[in-house]
Amino acid sequence: MSGADTDLPLFQQYQLAFTAHIRHPRLHARPEGVPAKRMRVYNEIVFNNLQSAVGACYPVLQRVLGKRAWQALLRRFFAEHQANSPFFRDIPKAFLAFLPQVETLPPYAVSLAHYEWVELAIASADTVTPMLTAEGDLVQGIPIVAPALAVLAYDYPVQKISVRFKPRQALAEPVHLLVFRNQQDEVKFVEMNAMTARLLELLQPGELTGLAALQQLGMEMGHADSTSLITFGAALLEDLRQQDIVWGVAV
Amino acid sequence: MGQAQSHHPIKGAGLGLKRELLPQIQAAYGTSLTAHLDFVEIAPENWIGAGGKYAKQLAWFTERYPIVCHGLCLSLGGPDPLNEDFLRQVKQFLDQHQIPLYTEHLSYCSDGGYLYDLLPIPFTEEAVHHVARRIRRTQEILERRIAVENASFYVASPIAEMDEASFIRAVLQEADCDLHLDINNIYVNSVNFGFDPHAFLREMPGERIVYAHIAGHDHETEDLIIDTHGQDVIDPVWQLLREAYELFGVFPTLLERDTNIPPLADAMHEVNKIAGLQAAQQGIARQQPADAVSRKRASA
Ligand SMILES: [Fe+2]
């Protein structure tokens, strides 16, 4: 990226020297003959654009890290990362993929960043809604869950992190969070227990009847009394329908 | 309206579809406020593959307005291989939504990775061939002509072999593509590099113009304008647009507003002004014998 590749046409050597300087002004001098004042305009606007594209997705992480650490992190991302997608909504995703290699971050940072990114991912997920009937027996039929839905487990209570609450250690048990898009296209977060999370994972492919999913769940949990599990499970499925997490039954 | 749309060429006055303005346009649809809004423009990089409420918003607009796609990340002047996978997605998107016009910038935005901003191409002979080759390939993949836009910039490359107008003419001719004329960019560059915007305008290949932009900017210092699209359009830029219509005839023209977004009524005030200039020019054109107008175009 330093523009030293002399096999390239001159204009491309110049272009690469130009962007190398924008990405890392202290490491790469601006191309010869370019006025400092004008070069600075590019240094600022390109970085600021990237900063607002990433920052919009990570308001909490940004505040928790503080302005200086955040800026330094973005500087490093900009200098080191080669973004390969022309789509703007992939910028925050690339940032998320970059984070694990940063050694200086607090231990919860990657989980928190994922939690913030997933809202954008679910909001814009391009999904197809299967044919379904909103009414219908959730035990005998195949429950259809919201097509844009992710069942997540984090080692840190990401939903509670703020400037005033920065967890020092991982949770003993992971926190299970469901994020989904309801039928009004709003993104919702729901904290749930491990069993409900597992049930939703089983239902998500849209292949199992409610009964088959509950039986599978009973087996995995080593639950002996399947009758009580199914009575309980039927009520749970109804509750998920009330919350717009289950949209109905496949037709 | 959706039915006629596939045969509907872009015409009149339009507005860039910013997320902030979108619900306001929907609310004002069918009222006098949006009476002169003939089309809207979107960046494919924002809308391709977006589901949920975004897909529904897009559908709402495609059913009601002709749409122009104005790309940001194709990097026509860039050193990387042309992103042909992306172009195939663009093609599918244009076909799916029956979008008749796709335009891109005469700039670059990648260096092995995307920088998501518009950077200047040095005006050299080799660069002309490089960019023209990539435009041709783009037109091949999209199976249609595209228009490329004169960009605004802040650094004149010290290795330039020609001026901007010559570069634009050479690229368009070698690529055989259309011109998306940005009136504001002419003005911005004329201040940033000290040339006469009127002379520059007259050097543009008028017969290739299919589309235009107009916008406001931030005048930082006497010799530096930052092209923020964040202010009202200034009088000298309106004057340049009027002049362009006189020289080349009327072409569809869009108001760009990307930062410091005002209420829709303010943006529409400027869209209406575009429509007014177009109507005035067309009124003059009707009063003149047809051959006088075409002679004027030919001499440009
Ligand atoms: Fe423009």
Side-chain angles (χ1 to χ4, degrees):
Chain A
M1 295 219 311
S2 65
D5 185 348
T6 45
D7 288 344
L8 290 173
L10 185 64
F11 82 95
Q12 289 188 333
Q13 292 179 41
Y14 170 84
Q15 284 180 305
L16 291 173
F18 197 78
T19 56
H21 175 71
I22 292 174
R23 285 185 187 273
H24 207 320
R26 265 174 300 180
L27 202 63
H28 304 287
R30 66 179 187 277
E32 214 173 305
V34 171
K37 183 183 140 200
R38 295 303 184 87
M39 190 71 233
R40 214 174 303 127
V41 174
Y42 283 104
N43 291 351
E44 281 169 21
I45 60 173
V46 182
F47 182 68
N48 288 347
N49 266 351
L50 184 88
Q51 192 170 10
S52 48
V54 177
C57 184
Y58 300 105
V60 182
L61 182 65
Q62 201 175 147
R63 259 176 279 133
V64 163
L65 292 181
K67 199 175 170 187
R68 278 178 58 186
W70 176 252
Q71 285 255 342
L73 183 61
L74 275 178
R75 265 282 155 213
R76 185 169 157 193
F77 172 62
F78 188 44
E80 292 175 13
H81 181 76
Q82 301 272 292
N84 61 11
S85 168
F87 300 113
F88 294 109
R89 74 176 155 278
D90 289 338
I91 301 175
K93 191 174 159 188
F95 180 72
L96 182 65
F98 157 81
L99 284 182
Q101 74 204 56
V102 183
E103 318 79 16
T104 50
L105 291 174
Y108 56 81
V110 174
S111 298
L112 173 61
H114 185 274
Y115 173 70
E116 295 201 89
W117 168 77
V118 81
E119 180 171 3
L120 170 83
I122 292 293
S124 62
D126 196 8
T127 54
V128 179
T129 307
M131 296 288 286
L132 60 84
T133 165
E135 309 300 314
D137 190 325
L138 295 174
V139 175
Q140 298 307 319
I142 297 175
I144 298 296
V145 303
L149 172 145
V151 183
L152 304 163
Y154 294 106
D155 292 331
Y156 291 89
V158 288
Q159 79 282 20
K160 293 180 186 156
I161 294 176
S162 72
V163 174
R164 257 164 293 164
F165 175 63
K166 304 177 185 177
R168 284 172 199 280
Q169 52 201 12
L171 295 162
E173 293 289 328
V175 56
H176 295 274
L177 291 170
L178 172 73
V179 50
F180 71 103
R181 201 164 76 209
N182 68 15
Q183 295 183 67
Q184 278 70 53
D185 284 326
E186 299 156 336
V187 177
K188 299 283 178 187
F189 289 88
V190 181
E191 190 176 339
M192 52 184 39
N193 58 36
M195 195 190 79
T196 311
R198 179 64 189 141
L199 177 63
L200 281 166
E201 274 176 2
L202 290 168
L203 293 175
Q204 207 177 5
E207 289 158 6
L208 297 180
T209 63
L211 183 62
L214 289 168
Q215 281 168 340
Q216 166 85 22
L217 191 64
M219 241 162 59
E220 288 178 10
M221 290 166 54
H223 210 293
D225 181 5
S226 71
T227 326
S228 76
L229 181 74
I230 284 157
T231 313
F232 170 77
L236 178 58
L237 286 169
E238 275 310 328
D239 182 50
L240 293 173
R241 174 148 63 188
Q242 290 307 311
Q243 293 188 64
D244 214 5
I245 297 165
V246 167
W247 285 7
V249 173
V251 291
Chain B
M1 190 151 184
Q3 230 249 318
Q5 193 185 292
S6 60
H7 315 287
H8 196 167
I10 303 296
K11 56 177 187 253
L15 179 61
L17 202 56
K18 297 302 290 183
R19 299 238 193 267
E20 296 88 333
L21 288 172
L22 207 142
Q24 296 183 60
I25 300 173
Q26 289 179 311
Y29 182 70
T31 71
S32 60
L33 181 59
T34 54
H36 291 298
L37 182 61
D38 298 314
F39 65 92
V40 296
E41 181 196 273
I42 60 175
E45 290 84 353
N46 278 328
W47 294 90
I48 290 176
K53 68 176 176 194
Y54 308 112
K56 284 173 195 159
Q57 286 171 335
L58 181 60
W60 190 93
F61 279 91
T62 56
E63 280 162 19
R64 288 166 182 82
Y65 288 101
I67 306 242
V68 173
C69 259
H70 182 47
L72 291 163
C73 293
L74 188 57
S75 202
L76 279 171
D80 305 326
L82 195 62
N83 190 339
E84 299 195 354
D85 286 341
F86 168 62
L87 272 176
R88 278 182 275 273
Q89 285 175 275
V90 170
K91 174 167 195 319
Q92 209 262 327
F93 184 77
L94 298 177
D95 290 347
Q96 182 189 344
H97 299 291
Q98 304 185 341
I99 295 171
L101 181 59
Y102 173 72
T103 81
E104 249 292 354
H105 297 83
L106 208 44
S107 67
Y108 79 112
C109 70
S110 60
D111 63 352
Y114 287 95
L115 290 108
Y116 306 102
D117 225 312
L118 305 170
L119 305 169
I121 306 170
F123 304 141
T124 72
E125 212 46 72
E126 279 180 314
V128 168
H129 304 319
H130 176 75
V131 177
R133 204 178 318 117
R134 288 158 74 92
I135 295 172
R136 281 185 176 278
R137 181 65 185 140
T138 299
Q139 296 189 132
E140 218 171 273
I141 293 171
L142 297 181
E143 297 175 40
R144 76 192 72 202
R145 288 173 75 83
I146 68 163
V148 295
E149 183 190 31
N150 56 302
S152 60
F153 47 99
Y154 314 109
V155 167
S157 112
I159 58 167
E161 297 161 359
M162 61 189 91
D163 63 16
E164 186 190 358
S166 307
F167 183 77
I168 294 170
R169 276 198 316 269
V171 168
L172 297 186
Q173 194 180 350
E174 192 172 317
D176 191 20
C177 67
D178 293 324
L179 175 58
H180 166 174
L181 187 68
D182 191 310
I183 303 289
N184 176 59
N185 290 354
I186 297 177
Y187 184 82
V188 169
N189 287 354
S190 79
V191 170
N192 288 351
F193 306 110
F195 62 72
D196 175 5
H198 308 281
F200 184 100
L201 182 64
R202 285 191 297 274
E203 287 182 75
M204 288 297 100
E207 70 285 358
R208 292 188 188 271
I209 301 172
V210 294
Y211 188 56
H213 274 171
I214 190 161
H217 51 244
D218 281 65
H219 212 132
E220 295 280 306
T221 61
E222 200 186 332
D223 66 346
L224 178 63
I225 291 180
I226 307 292
D227 194 17
T228 52
H229 302 164
Q231 303 293 334
D232 291 349
V233 180
I234 61 168
D235 281 339
V237 174
W238 285 119
Q239 179 49 38
L240 268 182
L241 180 65
R242 194 177 295 124
E243 216 174 297
Y245 288 161
E246 283 166 17
L247 282 167
F248 308 123
V250 168
F251 32 76
T253 305
L254 177 123
L255 175 73
E256 291 185 289
R257 188 76 187 229
D258 294 322
T259 58
N260 191 20
I261 311 255
L264 178 63
D266 294 3
M268 279 311 301
H269 179 75
E270 295 194 306
V271 173
N272 294 344
K273 198 161 168 177
I274 295 172
L277 289 179
Q278 292 176 330
Q281 179 57 35
Q282 277 157 341
I284 294 164
R286 268 194 294 278
Q287 284 161 17
Q288 289 175 345
D291 64 321
V293 177
S294 57
R295 215 179 309 130
K296 209 167 193 179
R297 289 188 65 134
S299 70

